[in-house]
Amino acid sequence: MSTSSSIESALRFRADRLQNIRVTHDGTIARRTNTSFFTRGLVFTNRPIRINEKVTFKLMELSEGLGGFVYVGFTSRDPDNLQGVTCQHLAKGSGFWSWFFPKELCGTRSTLFYYIGEGGEVHYGVDGVEKGLFEGVVRTNQSLWPLFDIFGNSSGVRLIEAESRETRPKARANRKLVPMMLHETHSRNVRIDKNVAQRLDAKYTQGYIFSKQPIKSEQSIVIQIAPNGRGRFQGFVHLGVTSCDPALLNRDDLPDNVNSLVDRPEYWVLICDFSNLNCGDEIGLDLAHDGPITFHLNGGKFKGVVHVDATLKLYLFVNVYGSCQDVHLSTCAEQSKVEEKECVVCYDNVIEAALYRCGHTCMCFECAVEQWQGKGDGHCPLCRAVIRDVIRINK
């Protein structure tokens, strides 16, 4: 298996002549043809899976009063050579892994997913939120085809994309994004420039970056995925917060497996793992004053919430991995409640400059001049108006 960044065909069910399965709707739906048989519902996907690629699906037409739900799993045996077999047959040989999907998560309105992590561990969750790991690990040095065994009260399964692109909103014209500066500490396979992080080519792990300053109560953070890119690709990011000051970290301390961070002595919380991201997607994070962090994709419907210890100074961290190339971090100016006396660029000096002609006072004099004549492209970071002059003020 690999984390190749090449674009592959969409994950679909194989349209084989199966014992008790009919595949329809361009390979996205698999149904048991004879629901009086509560077994013989084994179906495979059309291609092997990649590490960290989510298999996302919904159950269809659950029958009342019947036990059972769905097996999910993987096989390293080519489905071309598995015509007419059942899960029971596969279980007797090698190269086969399967699990009951937790019954309490299953329902026709739930979006379920599972995937293989970099260490061979198999994650599962519902509605975009991680719920746990299946028992055991999978050998990842070989091709692995996802499989479903549809039985019991489940009469069908529908494959879907991990995140729907139909709900992506148009950018609000009056929204003001302020760059969220990144700390100089980062892992070895990523480069940073102010608020932009770019993963090095052909390097699929060790893409950790940190916010330069602790996040603030009532702050809204926007993470843009390759906003200047085009097309579709399988991008991935881990998000979390930590009480560890990035200045005290050595890049060699950062693990390949992000789940190992919680074993460190500092306070680390993994907020969410977003997969199947496309160019132009936006992840939003909002920190409430009493600790909950809500997260969502593309400004759409609510996706999840994580409770953190708001009494600590918490830094945001992002792990850019898989095929995701670059991310841009910003805060939403109309909601971020920026301190009046703190420069929004360096966060170190007090505000002592006014911009002509827009009139905004948001930077120290040094950063304002740099924004005007240097790397800031000559535009106000709040409203993007052209800077004509910088005036030193005393506040």
Side-chain angles (χ1 to χ4, degrees):
M1 293 184 68
S2 70
T3 50
S4 171
S5 61
S6 61
I7 300 175
E8 297 189 25
S9 61
L11 199 65
R12 296 288 186 264
F13 290 119
R14 292 172 61 96
D16 298 322
R17 296 185 64 183
L18 303 169
Q19 282 187 334
N20 191 31
I21 290 290
R22 181 185 179 193
V23 176
T24 60
H25 292 75
D26 193 29
T28 60
I29 291 179
R31 278 193 176 94
R32 290 208 320 268
T33 56
N34 187 343
T35 56
S36 64
F37 282 104
F38 299 136
T39 58
R40 300 182 183 177
L42 185 63
V43 61
F44 303 93
T45 61
N46 60 337
R47 63 170 173 82
I49 203 74
R50 297 188 300 274
I51 290 177
N52 293 317
E53 181 184 2
K54 287 184 179 178
V55 183
T56 309
F57 64 98
K58 285 189 175 184
L59 299 182
M60 306 170 61
E61 303 166 2
L62 299 182
S63 302
E64 295 294 334
L66 298 175
F69 33 96
V70 64
Y71 267 118
V72 297
F74 302 97
T75 181
S76 61
R77 300 167 65 181
D78 191 334
D80 283 340
N81 303 320
L82 296 176
Q83 297 287 336
V85 301
T86 66
C87 261
Q88 290 78 6
H89 292 139
L90 283 176
K92 296 178 182 178
S94 60
F96 170 74
W97 301 263
S98 69
W99 307 267
F100 278 120
F101 208 95
K103 189 170 185 178
E104 65 273 13
L105 302 181
C106 295
T108 56
R109 295 185 178 181
S110 299
T111 300
L112 311 174
F113 66 86
Y114 68 106
Y115 67 96
I116 302 174
E118 294 166 3
E121 71 284 359
V122 180
H123 303 247
Y124 67 88
V126 59
D127 295 330
V129 179
E130 298 265 351
K131 291 296 183 180
L133 298 173
F134 289 123
E135 184 178 356
V137 296
V138 175
R139 293 194 296 273
T140 59
N141 60 345
Q142 55 196 326
S143 296
L144 294 169
W145 283 264
L147 63 85
F148 292 83
D149 190 14
I150 308 167
F151 73 105
N153 67 343
S154 305
S155 61
V157 169
R158 178 164 63 95
L159 289 174
I160 61 174
E161 291 188 50
E163 299 288 351
S164 173
R165 306 302 156 190
E166 297 175 0
T167 59
R168 182 182 297 169
K170 295 181 180 179
R172 290 182 295 157
N174 61 346
R175 185 177 64 170
K176 300 174 182 177
L177 294 182
V178 178
M180 185 178 189
M181 295 298 111
L182 297 174
H183 198 278
E184 60 184 12
T185 298
H186 57 85
S187 54
R188 61 180 178 271
N189 291 336
V190 67
R191 64 173 67 94
I192 62 171
D193 181 16
K194 295 184 179 179
N195 70 316
V196 178
Q198 186 174 38
R199 182 182 55 75
L200 303 183
D201 289 340
K203 303 293 183 180
Y204 304 112
T205 62
Q206 287 289 336
Y208 295 100
I209 57 174
F210 299 86
S211 60
K212 183 176 182 179
Q213 298 291 330
I215 59 178
K216 300 176 182 179
S217 176
E218 308 298 333
Q219 188 174 42
S220 293
I221 299 170
V222 177
I223 301 172
Q224 298 172 303
I225 308 300
N228 300 318
R230 295 182 178 180
R232 302 185 64 167
F233 61 94
Q234 301 290 321
F236 307 86
V237 295
H238 284 120
L239 302 180
V241 293
T242 178
S243 65
C244 181
D245 185 341
L248 304 178
L249 277 175
N250 186 303
R251 65 171 58 184
D252 294 331
D253 296 334
L254 299 171
D256 287 346
N257 187 342
V258 70
N259 293 295
S260 300
L261 289 171
V262 297
D263 297 327
R264 291 182 55 85
E266 309 92 357
Y267 181 77
W268 295 79
V269 175
L270 303 180
I271 296 175
C272 192
D273 174 13
F274 286 90
S275 66
N276 293 343
L277 295 168
N278 290 326
C279 298
D281 281 348
E282 289 188 359
I283 299 169
L285 299 174
D286 299 284
L287 174 64
H289 72 279
D290 55 348
I293 295 179
T294 59
F295 55 90
H296 51 83
L297 179 68
N298 292 327
K301 66 180 183 179
F302 170 78
K303 288 294 183 182
V305 61
V306 175
H307 290 267
V308 300
D309 187 350
T311 65
L312 301 174
K313 286 187 176 180
L314 297 176
Y315 296 83
L316 177 70
F317 73 87
V318 180
N319 184 25
V320 186
Y321 72 106
S323 59
C324 189
Q325 285 293 327
D326 61 278
V327 298
H328 298 224
L329 273 65
S330 305
T331 57
C332 199
E334 63 238 42
Q335 297 176 335
S336 61
K337 300 184 184 296
V338 176
E339 297 285 345
E340 283 190 2
K341 295 185 178 180
E342 183 179 68
C343 174
V344 300
V345 175
C346 69
Y347 293 101
D348 293 325
N349 301 323
V350 298
I351 293 173
E352 54 182 3
L355 305 181
Y356 177 79
R357 302 167 64 183
C358 68
H360 277 124
T361 55
C362 57
M363 293 178 284
C364 66
F365 186 78
E366 289 76 12
C367 287
V369 172
E370 182 69 14
Q371 187 77 13
W372 174 30
Q373 298 178 334
K375 297 180 180 179
D377 72 13
H379 292 83
C380 171
L382 297 185
C383 68
R384 305 304 298 165
V386 175
I387 301 172
R388 302 298 184 188
D389 200 358
V390 172
I391 304 169
R392 187 187 292 272
I393 61 173
N394 294 314
K395 297 189 68 176

